[in-house]
Amino acid sequence: ESLWPEVFPVEKLREDFIRTARSDSAEIFLSELLNYDRTLASIRFSGEHFAPYTYSDSAIPEAGLIIVDPGGESSNSDKSAIAVALQFGGKAHIRKIVNKNLNPEQLLRTAAALAEEFNIRAICVESYAFQKSLIFWAQKFPELAPYHFLPISRGVKSKVSAIMQLLEELQAGNIVLHPEVQSQVLSQLAYFTPEKKNNTDDILDCLAYVQLSFARYASHAAINLDTLL
């Protein structure tokens, strides 16, 4: 929300954020417009290292997954993050991100709607939440039957380590962000502090599962071209 919408509407701020990040000057935007003195450079990340998303929105990917990192239902809890991850040329491309508070039924229905939109049949869900409650909801509704709900876990690896690896993947161009999601990712990167425990990092945490999910569920991720005919 903009505190001065007549001069700095939200869409204009978002566009300026993306533009300055790409030119390696996001710290200017953060300090002058957001009054925030922490910079992306402090975690060794620069928006200019984003690989360009070169595929059209109508391009057919080799594979696709929906990645789900559940949050809480209340407005003061962590939000759920759902990412549409497509694979082109062997690299993950993040096409769309939904980030909001959802109850279990809403979460699974939103994930299934995204899967239907992008012709994906595999939905990867963080394993603890999957085992605790989501598997119950996934089995309760017959309309969710066409989708494979698959648990994902990073094992003993910490969330911070996984997010720092995500930054490396972004910088190396192994994970590519669609222009529509760049501001969502950058806004969390800008405030991410590795030594803190209360970061707003639900989107980053979700994206940190992308490479692991493609490696683990390659056969489930393959796009069925017959369904596109």
Side-chain angles (χ1 to χ4, degrees):
E1 180 180 349
S2 174
L3 297 178
W4 198 358
E6 297 84 3
V7 179
F8 300 111
V10 171
E11 287 302 318
K12 178 65 164 56
L13 289 173
R14 184 178 292 113
E15 291 173 1
D16 288 346
F17 189 19
I18 292 175
R19 176 177 50 78
T20 56
R22 284 174 173 168
S23 63
D24 201 19
S25 55
E27 63 273 17
I28 297 174
F29 176 93
L30 293 170
S31 61
E32 294 185 359
L33 292 181
L34 299 187
N35 295 318
Y36 186 67
D37 60 5
R38 178 171 167 73
T39 70
L40 294 174
S42 66
I43 55 173
R44 298 181 180 180
F45 182 83
S46 169
E48 74 171 354
H49 292 124
F50 277 156
Y53 196 106
T54 58
Y55 294 87
S56 71
D57 291 349
S58 60
I60 299 174
E62 304 143 13
L65 292 170
I66 303 297
I67 313 294
V68 179
D69 187 30
E73 299 179 39
S74 64
S75 58
N76 61 350
S77 61
D78 289 342
K79 295 179 180 178
S80 294
I82 309 173
V84 177
L86 307 177
Q87 199 170 69
F88 294 102
K91 293 186 177 182
H93 289 61
I94 308 305
R95 177 62 184 83
K96 193 171 186 177
I97 295 173
V98 174
N99 187 214
K100 59 175 64 174
N101 294 109
L102 299 166
N103 64 38
E105 180 182 352
Q106 292 171 328
L107 181 66
L108 291 178
R109 289 188 181 278
T110 300
L114 290 170
E116 183 68 25
E117 179 182 354
F118 291 94
N119 193 41
I120 293 170
R121 288 295 174 264
I123 300 175
C124 298
V125 185
E126 189 275 324
S127 61
Y128 177 75
F130 181 85
Q131 294 168 1
K132 184 178 179 182
S133 66
L134 292 185
I135 190 170
F136 165 78
W137 289 98
Q139 294 172 345
K140 183 176 181 179
F141 300 103
E143 60 268 34
L144 298 178
Y147 305 101
H148 300 286
F149 289 91
L150 308 167
I152 49 173
S153 171
R154 62 172 63 99
V156 297
K157 191 171 190 177
S158 72
K159 179 171 73 170
V160 169
S161 295
I163 290 176
M164 296 306 291
Q165 184 176 345
L166 168 67
L167 303 187
E168 295 176 5
E169 299 281 7
L170 288 167
Q171 288 181 314
N174 295 325
I175 296 179
V176 184
L177 302 178
H178 190 280
E180 291 180 5
V181 308
Q182 287 187 7
S183 64
Q184 292 174 281
V185 177
L186 282 168
S187 64
Q188 292 200 353
L189 284 175
Y191 291 89
F192 180 73
T193 307
E195 61 271 17
K196 284 175 57 178
K197 293 186 178 180
N198 60 341
N199 287 293
T200 300
D201 54 16
D202 34 40
I203 291 176
L204 303 180
D205 194 17
C206 178
L207 297 185
Y209 284 108
V210 168
Q211 299 287 56
L212 173 66
S213 299
F214 272 122
R216 185 166 299 173
Y217 295 116
S219 60
H220 292 84
I223 296 295
N224 183 0
L225 298 181
D226 292 339
T227 63
L228 300 176
L229 299 179

